[in-house]
Amino acid sequence: MNKEQLPIVVPIAKIEDENEIVKNFYFDISIGAKPGQFVMLWMPGVDEKPISVALDDGKQLVLTICSRGKATQEMAKMKVGDKLGIRGPFGTHFLTNEGETLALVGGGYGAAPLYFVAYEAAKQGCKIEFIEGARSEKHLVYMEKLKALENTNIHISTDDGSVGHKGYNTEVLKKVLEDTKVDKIMTCGPEIMMQKVGEIGEEAGVNTFVSIERYMKCGFGVCGQCVVDPLGIRTCVSGPVMNYKVAKMFDDFGQYHRDSVGKKEYFNPK
Amino acid sequence: MANLQVKYLGTEFENPTVLASGVLGVTAATWKSVVNSGAGGITTKSIWLNEHQGHPNPTIITTENWMMNAVGLPDAGLEKAKEEIALYSENKPAPLIASIVAGKKDEFAVIAEEVDKLDVDILEVNISCPNVEDELGLPFACVALDAKSVTEDVKKVAKNKPVIIKLSPNVTNVVEIANACAEGGADGFCLINTLGPGLAINLETRMPILANKVGGISGPAIKPLAVKIVSDVYQATKLPIIGTGGITTGADALEIMMAGATLVGIGTAVFYRGADVFRKVSKEMSDWCDKEGVKSVEELIGTAKV
Ligand SMILES: Cc1cc2nc3c(=O)[nH]c(=O)nc-3n(C[C@H](O)[C@H](O)[C@H](O)COP(=O)(O)OP(=O)(O)OC[C@H]3O[C@@H](n4cnc5c(N)ncnc54)[C@H](O)[C@@H]3O)c2cc1C
Ligand SMILES: Cc1cc2nc3c(=O)[nH]c(=O)nc-3n(C[C@H](O)[C@H](O)[C@H](O)COP(=O)(O)O)c2cc1C
Ligand code: FES
């Protein structure tokens, strides 16, 4: 890893709205990131947060950010030309090989890093079944960009049935696995969804890779904030992308994560 | 193969390397994985009586020569620490040093009394935190009288465990503070905490990079300072020391032991050499000893002709 961990400061080159709360931020740099890796994004005077790389094509870097709390809401107010700091890339990545058939299952802004997977895999001649779930049609992200990719079938599910399958994207995944011989499943989104995807993949005998989000401060394996039980491994170094078989061994997986002081927070509080 | 075992204040360590406080130490699972990576012992993150929020990010930056952090001692408090310590006790793989911290004098005694009852081997008192009752907010570690009275208070209640004091290098005369702690009954020292604070400014934004603006400096750049302070305090007090500050290689570890350290704390080097830095450093120490015909590293403690 790079022994110098100082942010590179660059202006925002372009901003796009994906939906009401999700935006794409473009920067005119490349950091050599691979799909699934993340950066630490410094918003001077606000905070610095982990954000997945949504595209790094050698010329531009794209980050897709969903407004949730204080820092990401501040991010949503940023304008073209505002200077932000970038450290990274960090962590493990999704690995694809030439000619594979992939099922990519995204929920929420998790579709963005999977778009990067599809973008690279399409160039490798992979066949891509892209399965995206959202609350309703207007919450979908990355539809236009996905349609422009070769060898990519898009499957949609919405909670309200406003478009595509009414229900969960995991139900769509089951159907896809029945109809198509898939080599690998890759998923990014809410952990409970990824847990379900992992179970379905395991049942079908397909290797499944998940992307684990834990509270991260340093991104390079020192602060210890991003560890999982009972293995004590650091998700910023050994993750975020992991085989479901490994994630399944965590006490945490689909159950809890830890906050900024290390306290457990359950996904479904009892 | 040279014998790397050392005895520190009655506890046997498989090798002299211990995880320094505040690096990686959030959960028992991590402590165990660090022991798996070769550490002879573990120091917990500094434990507060109650939940303590750290600073916002950025909190840690590094260059090839130093790391600067303003993590701000985040901790979930004593109750969570009790759970983690109990978890670590199931198949305890190596000694555990509990680091405790407080912002007020009386709090040190309250937390020390509680932690003294737990399955830990040594209490390490981090007095580098600002004293909120001091007019200038000076850290306890910067005022000899405060350092002494905190030591006395902790010693009074810690009936079962040895007490070591972790000192700050950011004073005019560390030996004066160390002597004061020794008078207060300290059983040993951990030397040193981070240097500074320092400041790093980003050119494009003209802003400090750390959200807290300033941060404590650690890593290779502070090693000569750590070696000097260990040497001085060893000569002055003869109390056993955990030598910490920029230790990255086996040679660094041997150097600080010759200066007077019994154990060697490693924090920042986890970044430079990975989580298995403990195994690497131990191997390098043992190779050197074999080459030099040294049978046991313990023989080397305090042997530098300073
Ligand atoms: C590897 C990784 C990749 C990510 N990729 C993206 C992405 O591409 N797009 C995106 O919009 N978001 C991404 N996130 C999540 C993003 O970091 C959080 O949404 C953001 O930090 C929330 O901060 P806030 O102040 O807006 O909200 P808060 O109100 O502070 O928190 C909202 C939620 O985000 C979590 N969170 C807060 N700070 C952190 C942190 N430092 N690390 C991890 N989780 C945190 C909180 O636990 C809480 O669940 C990623 C997180 C990780 C760990
Ligand atoms: C990220 C980070 C967090 C730290 N947190 C603590 C802490 O909670 N308590 C403490 O006594 N020292 C803390 N320290 C200081 C270290 O324990 C150690 O004394 C110092 O970093 C010098 O050693 P090193 O160069 O090997 O890191 C911290 C250091 C770093 C880099
Ligand atoms: S984010 Fe600091 S160790 Fe993973």
Side-chain angles (χ1 to χ4, degrees):
Chain A
M1 195 204 300
N2 193 346
K3 290 307 169 214
E4 181 153 303
Q5 286 295 335
L6 301 173
I8 301 169
V9 172
V10 275
I12 301 172
K14 188 171 114 180
I15 302 174
E16 276 170 0
D17 286 325
E18 276 295 340
N19 67 28
E20 271 175 12
I21 52 165
V22 177
K23 289 184 187 204
N24 302 328
F25 296 86
Y26 288 72
F27 303 89
D28 288 331
I29 55 162
S30 167
I31 55 169
K34 301 199 177 97
Q37 287 191 304
F38 68 97
V39 297
M40 294 300 299
L41 180 67
W42 178 38
M43 298 151 251
V46 182
D47 213 320
E48 186 198 44
K49 295 290 189 187
I51 301 291
S52 298
V53 175
L55 187 68
D56 182 345
D57 62 4
K59 294 193 275 309
Q60 275 195 319
L61 177 77
V62 183
L63 304 176
T64 297
I65 302 180
C66 172
S67 296
R68 288 165 87 183
K70 189 167 155 278
T72 49
Q73 278 164 16
E74 283 302 316
M75 190 65 208
K77 294 182 202 154
M78 301 272 174
K79 305 250 168 352
V80 169
D82 285 350
K83 290 175 187 165
L84 298 176
I86 288 164
R87 290 194 289 124
F90 298 115
T92 53
H93 61 276
F94 289 109
L95 193 72
T96 54
N97 297 309
E98 259 169 48
E100 283 177 334
T101 300
L102 309 172
L104 307 181
V105 188
Y109 61 81
L114 291 179
Y115 166 75
F116 189 12
V117 177
Y119 177 89
E120 291 295 333
K123 288 197 290 189
Q124 291 176 301
C126 292
K127 190 165 167 292
I128 298 142
E129 305 292 339
F130 202 104
I131 306 163
E132 184 173 330
R135 263 186 292 156
S136 70
E137 183 169 15
K138 67 173 198 213
H139 292 102
L140 288 166
V141 295
Y142 269 78
M143 281 300 131
E144 294 310 311
K145 290 189 167 62
L146 284 165
K147 280 177 197 155
L149 292 181
E150 279 175 38
N151 299 331
T152 305
N153 290 325
I154 303 172
H155 310 261
I156 295 169
S157 72
T158 50
D159 296 351
D160 65 359
S162 49
V163 60
H165 170 79
K166 183 173 191 302
Y168 293 126
N169 54 5
T170 45
E171 292 153 8
V172 180
L173 171 66
K174 271 191 183 160
K175 180 86 179 44
V176 167
L177 291 176
E178 278 163 24
D179 299 345
T180 317
K181 187 179 169 321
V182 167
D183 296 304
K184 280 176 194 160
I185 301 170
M186 297 173 177
T187 180
C188 187
E191 200 153 306
I192 294 178
M193 174 204 94
M194 295 196 291
Q195 191 180 32
K196 188 81 195 142
V197 169
E199 284 166 13
I200 295 170
E202 190 160 66
E203 239 165 69
V206 183
N207 242 334
T208 302
F209 298 85
V210 299
S211 176
I212 305 284
E213 262 187 31
R214 285 294 176 273
Y215 203 100
M216 294 183 186
K217 288 183 180 169
C218 69
F220 49 67
V222 166
C223 73
Q225 211 67 45
C226 67
V227 295
V228 286
D229 294 328
L231 310 176
I233 53 178
R234 299 160 292 174
T235 53
C236 69
V237 176
S238 307
V241 177
M242 291 181 171
N243 196 312
Y244 168 72
K245 290 186 189 117
V246 177
K248 205 174 68 166
M249 293 192 294
F250 304 166
D251 297 340
D252 323 34
F253 188 60
Q255 301 296 318
Y256 64 87
H257 61 142
R258 289 176 188 264
D259 65 6
S260 65
V261 297
K263 247 191 357 256
K264 290 177 188 173
E265 270 179 358
Y266 285 83
F267 293 121
N268 277 328
K270 277 154 213 139
Chain B
M1 266 256 309
N3 180 6
L4 291 186
Q5 283 175 342
V6 292
K7 197 168 186 172
Y8 186 77
L9 291 170
T11 301
E12 295 279 359
F13 289 74
E14 273 306 303
N15 70 65
T17 66
V18 299
L19 176 69
S21 181
V23 172
L24 286 185
V26 180
T27 65
T30 325
W31 304 339
K32 286 188 176 173
S33 89
V34 172
V35 174
N36 268 331
S37 305
I42 297 293
T43 316
T44 67
K45 268 174 87 84
S46 293
I47 303 164
W48 293 85
L49 189 55
N50 300 309
E51 182 172 319
H52 185 86
Q53 290 292 329
H55 297 302
N57 250 12
T59 47
I60 314 182
I61 54 174
T62 68
T63 70
E64 269 175 48
N65 308 309
W66 49 260
M67 173 175 284
M68 192 156 77
N69 94 80
V71 174
L73 303 168
D75 182 55
L78 184 61
E79 287 313 309
K80 178 200 165 241
K82 281 183 181 169
E83 282 171 31
E84 300 292 342
I85 290 168
L87 267 175
Y88 184 75
S89 290
E90 300 169 6
N91 310 316
K92 185 174 175 181
L96 186 64
I97 302 166
S99 169
I100 59 170
V101 67
K104 290 184 195 159
K105 252 184 220 164
D106 358 325
E107 262 176 43
F108 275 107
V110 179
I111 184 161
E113 185 166 14
E114 289 291 322
V115 175
D116 182 61
K117 294 179 209 152
L118 307 177
D119 183 16
V120 303
D121 299 281
I122 294 162
L123 288 193
E124 178 175 296
V125 191
N126 175 3
I127 56 170
S128 300
C129 197
N131 175 355
V132 294
E133 287 161 337
D134 180 278
E135 238 173 87
L136 302 170
L138 281 176
F140 303 95
C142 295
V143 182
L145 276 178
D146 288 346
K148 183 178 174 185
S149 77
V150 169
T151 309
E152 284 170 347
D153 291 353
V154 171
K155 275 300 286 181
K156 241 176 257 157
V157 295
K159 301 230 163 41
N160 309 301
K161 308 283 152 69
V163 173
I164 67 173
I165 311 295
K166 184 163 183 180
L167 297 184
S168 162
N170 311 316
V171 293
T172 321
N173 185 352
V174 191
V175 170
E176 184 195 328
I177 311 283
N179 280 332
C181 295
E183 281 168 30
D187 298 302
F189 294 102
C190 177
L191 307 167
I192 54 177
N193 215 316
T194 51
L195 171 70
L199 174 66
I201 298 163
N202 168 261
L203 302 186
E204 289 79 14
T205 56
R206 304 185 192 190
M207 281 180 65
I209 303 173
L210 295 176
N212 185 51
K213 298 190 173 74
V214 299
I217 304 163
S218 60
I222 72 165
K223 191 195 74 176
L225 182 66
V227 172
K228 169 74 161 59
I229 290 176
V230 165
S231 174
D232 287 352
V233 172
Y234 181 73
Q235 306 287 336
T237 67
K238 292 289 171 199
L239 291 175
I241 294 167
I242 306 181
T244 309
I247 305 304
T248 310
T249 64
D252 296 340
L254 292 162
E255 183 184 359
I256 207 160
M257 287 182 80
M258 287 184 191
T262 303
L263 290 173
V264 178
I266 297 181
T268 302
V270 166
F271 170 70
Y272 292 104
R273 302 189 72 192
D276 57 348
V277 59
F278 303 93
R279 181 162 297 120
K280 291 174 182 160
V281 166
S282 295
K283 170 83 169 56
E284 289 155 6
M285 291 173 87
S286 136
D287 286 351
W288 184 90
C289 289
D290 290 345
K291 188 167 87 26
E292 294 291 319
V294 174
K295 297 256 167 342
S296 161
V297 277
E298 247 179 353
E299 295 166 23
L300 299 172
I301 299 165
T303 55
K305 300 166 191 129
V306 183

